[in-house]
Amino acid sequence: MYHNWLDRWDERRARRGEDGKKTTELVFDAERAFPGARDVLTVEEFCLLADQALADPGYFDEPGRSDQGFAKQDGWLKFPSGISTDVEENNVVWAKITESGSFDQALVIFHHWNASARNRQIADYFSHRGVTVVEVAMPYHFERSRPGSAHADYMLSANLGRTIQSVRQAVWDGRKLLRWLKSEGYREVSVLGMSLGSWAAGLIAAHDTSVSKASLFLTAGSLADMVWTGRATRSIRASLEPEVGLNDLRRAWGPLNMENHAHRFARPDFELHVVLAKRDQVVLPELSERFMHRLREAGARPNILKLNCGHYSLGLPPYILLAGFSLKRFLSRAANSTRRT
């Protein structure tokens, strides 16, 4: 009975999230994802470029990286993004810092798609336990929102190139922030990603060896499969389906598929924590299980917590408390290990 109510609660929450989401047209915009690309007119041409990007080990490395321009004031940090877009607000990264008074550990949080507010409860909880929390705005969210937009439609959409560019931008921004935190003296920097934010956090952890711990909430490997099957992305599938099938989308967004980077999670100095929802209709459990299987095949050993709730109801007690306690234990173990070395 209770779980039936929980499922209905998640469905009502999903319906509210559909406000402002509209069916659009498929757009390639290959030059956004693959600088220098020209005249891409077919899905196959786009996929060939995606194949090349996936094979490039430096695709998520910011070229000619610059660590200048950081400004910190009154608990806020801002700095220029490594990618310049045609939305001026999106080109400046904002982060809220809740300091702990200790430089032992910092946790960088990447929020979910269309988040409407940062999570003060999480920030306060961990900062009171010795972990400085940095809540970064992902592209086209919060202070970086496109003027007049009803939701973050430029972050994830039927524009194949801009979606790749946006996730890549989140990765570059996050890695730039990690370098700043290290330069400030933080001994260990971990990342936490929630839903869409788990793709940003996961790709950062996979490609940046300065990250020794990562926690991914409500995650899977294939962004293409999540969009195709998920409750929150029906309008995107409807926009794509007349011209693009799932196999095409998997290949087009291959660089964003964490299954394709699974071997990077298996490095010996890295630990992974995962929280999944058994009743999730946004990131389907079978997609999460496939990612966990691929990680194990590659030699990774994720620490997995499965809760009997839905995607949105993870935010309700007791589930959010259980997830928080699990994350606390994971980070505490990491901090203790760091102090012993």
Side-chain angles (χ1 to χ4, degrees):
M1 181 70 72
Y2 172 73
H3 290 116
N4 288 336
W5 174 86
L6 203 67
D7 291 342
R8 292 194 298 271
W9 189 93
D10 267 278
E11 176 60 21
R12 288 194 298 271
R13 175 61 181 79
R15 288 176 182 172
R16 290 201 303 271
E18 289 180 333
D19 293 344
K21 295 179 181 178
K22 300 177 180 178
T23 302
T24 60
E25 293 183 354
L26 167 68
V27 179
F28 292 126
D29 258 359
E31 67 277 7
R32 294 183 186 273
F34 318 113
R38 293 288 184 273
D39 301 326
V40 171
L41 302 176
T42 67
V43 174
E44 177 62 22
E45 290 173 339
F46 190 99
C47 289
L48 287 172
L49 293 171
D51 293 342
Q52 294 172 18
L54 178 59
D56 178 5
Y59 183 71
F60 288 102
D61 298 337
E62 182 182 351
R65 70 187 197 188
S66 171
D67 293 336
Q68 304 299 312
F70 284 84
K72 181 184 176 185
Q73 185 176 6
D74 298 329
W76 290 92
L77 179 71
K78 67 176 182 177
F79 58 93
S81 175
I83 290 180
S84 180
T85 67
D86 48 5
V87 176
E88 183 177 352
E89 292 81 359
N90 185 51
N91 299 334
V92 177
V93 185
W94 288 79
K96 180 73 173 68
I97 302 179
T98 306
E99 295 184 352
S100 65
S102 168
F103 284 88
D104 283 341
Q105 197 171 15
L107 176 66
V108 180
I109 298 179
F110 296 83
H111 54 78
H112 60 83
W113 187 37
N114 295 318
S116 59
R118 291 177 170 87
N119 197 315
R120 192 180 71 179
Q121 290 87 350
I122 290 178
D124 288 345
Y125 178 82
F126 283 102
S127 66
H128 289 148
R129 288 158 178 79
V131 180
T132 292
V133 176
V134 185
E135 300 173 272
V136 64
M138 293 213 298
Y140 305 106
H141 287 81
F142 300 142
E143 301 84 7
R144 308 176 68 177
S145 296
R146 179 171 60 89
S149 60
H151 71 290
D153 56 341
Y154 274 25
M155 178 81 192
L156 183 63
S157 71
N159 185 315
L160 301 183
R162 188 163 57 208
T163 296
I164 293 178
Q165 182 193 55
S166 298
V167 176
R168 193 185 190 203
Q169 184 176 29
V171 172
W172 284 12
D173 294 342
R175 296 186 69 179
K176 192 171 184 176
L177 176 56
L178 294 180
R179 293 195 300 270
W180 181 84
L181 288 167
K182 285 287 190 177
S183 74
E184 289 291 292
Y186 286 95
R187 283 180 281 279
E188 178 166 288
V189 181
S190 304
V191 294
L192 165 62
M194 302 177 179
S195 193
L196 182 60
S198 72
W199 269 267
L203 288 168
I204 289 169
H207 290 83
D208 197 319
T209 57
S210 70
V211 179
S212 57
K213 306 290 184 294
S215 180
L216 308 180
F217 283 26
L218 306 171
T219 194
S222 172
L223 187 67
D225 281 85
M226 186 277 281
V227 165
W228 202 260
T229 61
R231 177 65 180 84
T233 49
R234 290 177 176 176
S235 62
I236 299 178
R237 174 173 175 171
S239 302
L240 294 169
E241 202 161 16
E243 299 181 62
V244 175
L246 177 55
N247 287 333
D248 293 324
L249 190 61
R250 286 171 176 161
R251 191 175 164 203
W253 284 350
L256 308 182
N257 186 345
M258 289 192 285
E259 293 177 21
N260 292 332
H261 307 284
H263 63 285
R264 294 176 177 269
F265 292 96
R267 62 181 187 267
D269 58 344
F270 177 74
E271 292 186 58
L272 179 62
H273 173 256
V274 179
V275 176
L276 303 175
K278 296 180 182 179
R279 314 179 79 84
D280 200 333
Q281 295 300 307
V282 175
V283 182
L284 297 188
E286 52 263 40
L287 301 182
S288 301
E289 288 297 330
R290 191 176 78 191
F291 182 34
M292 297 303 103
H293 178 71
R294 181 69 188 91
L295 287 170
R296 294 190 190 97
E297 278 190 332
R301 294 294 178 264
N303 177 342
I304 305 170
L305 173 66
K306 298 179 184 178
L307 298 172
N308 196 14
C309 62
H311 192 88
Y312 302 106
S313 50
L314 177 65
L316 299 176
Y319 308 110
I320 191 60
L321 300 176
L322 295 170
F325 292 151
S326 178
L327 176 59
K328 176 182 176 293
R329 288 194 298 269
F330 176 72
L331 295 178
S332 296
R333 186 174 68 246
N336 292 336
S337 175
T338 299
R339 281 194 286 269
R340 287 196 299 268
T341 59

